[in-house]
Amino acid sequence: MKELQQEVDIYIGQFKEGYFSPLAMIARLTEELGELAREVNHYYGEKPKKDSEEAKSIEEEAGDLLFVLICLANSLNIDLEQAHDIVMKKFNTRDKDRWTRKET
């Protein structure tokens, strides 16, 4: 994850504008999530694509969402690997008995 954050930071760092404001990036995250939801709905839901709609993949839309999330994290000096570790600790402690485990 550190490499991804560094790669995005190098990319954004080549532009004078730099990162957008956190509020602008939240708006972009919302937009990208909507685009991902639309693609998932086309593939798995009841709403097929119109012939006039551009072909995009769920993978591409997920990548767009990840890029903007990394931008937001970088702009706020959030280490996403550390954030992930915090969440996994929470799931493995607080939520450890929340779901039915598979038999091993």
Side-chain angles (χ1 to χ4, degrees):
M1 190 57 72
K2 289 182 189 314
E3 290 175 10
L4 293 177
Q5 285 191 256
Q6 184 179 27
E7 181 180 12
V8 169
D9 198 53
I10 290 168
Y11 174 77
I12 296 295
Q14 67 184 323
F15 304 109
K16 289 180 182 180
E17 295 82 3
Y19 290 107
F20 295 151
S21 71
L23 285 175
M25 283 192 271
I26 290 296
R28 285 208 51 216
L29 273 173
T30 303
E31 178 185 341
E32 295 299 347
L33 181 58
E35 291 178 13
L36 175 61
R38 185 174 180 87
E39 288 305 312
V40 169
N41 195 22
H42 288 317
Y43 283 96
Y44 301 105
E46 291 74 36
K47 186 176 180 184
K49 267 190 196 272
K50 297 176 186 174
D51 292 336
S52 61
E53 288 184 280
E54 181 182 342
K56 290 189 176 180
S57 69
I58 293 172
E59 179 180 38
E60 179 183 353
E61 296 303 340
D64 289 345
L65 188 64
L66 179 60
F67 177 80
V68 178
L69 181 61
I70 291 171
C71 286
L72 177 63
N74 284 354
S75 75
L76 298 174
N77 295 313
I78 293 171
D79 179 333
L80 285 173
E81 191 170 331
Q82 183 178 352
H84 169 267
D85 292 346
I86 291 167
V87 170
M88 289 309 298
K89 182 178 179 184
K90 177 175 63 177
F91 287 142
N92 286 315
T93 55
R94 183 192 73 188
D95 295 339
K96 67 182 171 74
D97 297 321
R98 186 172 185 178
W99 310 107
T100 306
R101 295 197 181 266
K102 293 180 180 180
E103 300 276 336
T104 54

